[in-house]
């Protein structure tokens, strides 16, 4: 099932399938290691919901919700 990274709940993980951002934002995300095929896990949300803390390639990263909405991830379908 494909979702936006911002739609995942804390503890959920997925593999990046697509970056829909443009320009400098897309290049910055790629430079941080957010490329298709990379596993990401949502760790937690800030108390007011923005930013999101994720774990990618064994390091923690904080993203704005608007940035996380441009990242599509493939999650496992729950039975």
């Amino acid at each position: 099932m494909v979702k936006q990274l911002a739609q995942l709940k804390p503890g959920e993980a997925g593999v990046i399938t697509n970056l829909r951002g443009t320009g400098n934002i897309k290049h910055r995300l790629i430079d941080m290691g957010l490329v298709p095929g990379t596993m990401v896990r949502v760790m937690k949300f800030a108390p007011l919901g923005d930013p999101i803390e994720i774990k990618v390639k064994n390091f923690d990263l904080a993203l704005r919700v608007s940035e996380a909405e441009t990242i599509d991830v493939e999650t496992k379908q729950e039975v």
Side-chain angles (χ1 to χ4, degrees):
M1 170 184 283
V2 176
K3 294 182 176 181
Q4 294 175 353
L5 182 58
Q7 294 175 325
L8 299 182
K9 294 180 173 86
E12 290 186 318
V15 177
I16 297 174
T17 59
N18 187 26
L19 294 174
R20 291 181 281 108
T22 59
N24 290 335
I25 293 173
K26 184 174 183 176
H27 290 289
R28 190 169 66 87
L29 294 173
I30 290 170
D31 289 344
M32 289 188 287
L34 298 168
V35 295
T38 302
M39 174 70 89
V40 295
R41 177 176 302 278
V42 175
M43 302 307 288
K44 61 185 174 182
F45 286 84
L48 297 177
D50 197 11
I52 301 171
E53 182 182 331
I54 63 170
K55 183 172 278 296
V56 58
K57 295 186 179 178
N58 207 22
F59 67 92
D60 294 334
L61 180 66
L63 293 177
R64 294 182 183 113
V65 171
S66 61
E67 295 168 341
E69 289 172 344
T70 67
I71 301 170
D72 294 332
V73 294
E74 176 77 31
T75 60
K76 289 185 179 179
Q77 184 93 359
E78 292 186 19
V79 179

